């Protein structure tokens, strides 16, 4: 569920369990749950990289090599969009946006890889502790 869905009556995808740090039951790090989260994150990453059937958010749609980048008309003609275009420079707004978006994708990819590595580490530790190494 997206934040937009939450605005229209769905549950908030960013809500935090109010009992997350209660002292009651011991918390357990679950590699399978970590992998499920990583899988969901990776599906969004694949869309951003253009490796998905989802059309939105594809970096290839805004890279200059894909047709010159974003133009002012593609950013929008309403007052805020025009202000954004003039701030970043209407001639290179698409290139600059693509650079920032690529940095976001790079950071997002590192998060996905970190979640996957964490799940692997927990599995290795569990096997070592249980003598299944």
């Amino acid at each position: 569920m997206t934040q937009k869905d939450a605005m229209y009556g769905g549950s908030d995808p960013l809500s935090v369990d109010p009992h997350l740090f209660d002292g009651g039951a011991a918390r357990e790090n679950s590699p399978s749950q970590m992998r499920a989260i990583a899988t969901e994150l990776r599906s969004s990453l694949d869309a951003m990289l253009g490796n998905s059937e989802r059309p939105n958010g594809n970096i290839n749609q805004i890279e200059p090599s894909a047709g010159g980048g974003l133009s002012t008309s593609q950013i929008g003609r309403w007052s805020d969009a025009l202000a954004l275009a003039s701030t970043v420079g209407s001639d290179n707004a698409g290139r600059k946006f693509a650079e920032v978006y690529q940095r976001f994708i790079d950071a997002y990819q590192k998060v996905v890889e970190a979640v996957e590595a964490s799940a692997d580490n927990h599995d290795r530790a569990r096997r070592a502790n249980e003598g299944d190494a």
Side-chain angles (χ1 to χ4, degrees):
M1 171 176 295
T2 65
Q3 189 67 31
K4 183 177 177 183
D5 295 332
M7 289 174 27
Y8 295 105
S11 63
D12 184 357
L14 302 177
S15 64
V16 176
D17 179 359
H19 305 290
L20 182 64
F21 297 108
D22 288 352
R27 292 183 5 155
E28 179 180 325
N29 294 314
S30 169
S32 62
Q33 288 179 338
M34 290 178 194
R35 285 194 180 88
I37 291 168
T39 298
E40 184 67 27
L41 292 172
R42 190 163 290 284
S43 70
S44 294
L45 176 63
D46 287 343
M48 288 183 247
L49 295 172
N51 301 330
S52 170
E53 294 181 17
R54 292 174 26 191
N56 295 331
N58 180 345
I59 186 71
N60 298 323
Q61 294 172 330
I62 58 173
E63 286 181 341
S65 62
L70 292 175
S71 66
T72 304
S73 63
Q74 290 170 310
I75 294 173
R77 296 206 178 271
W78 67 97
S79 59
D80 290 339
L82 292 172
L84 172 66
S86 66
T87 300
V88 297
S90 59
D91 292 336
N92 61 5
R95 182 172 29 89
K96 287 183 179 183
F97 180 76
E99 289 171 9
V100 170
Y101 192 53
Q102 184 62 55
R103 286 186 204 151
F104 169 78
I105 289 171
D106 294 343
Y108 193 96
Q109 185 165 7
K110 289 177 183 177
V111 168
V112 173
E113 291 168 356
V115 172
E116 292 169 338
S118 182
D120 291 342
N121 288 339
H122 279 84
D123 265 344
R124 276 194 299 278
R126 181 195 51 78
R127 285 192 308 271
N129 288 335
E130 293 174 359
D132 297 332

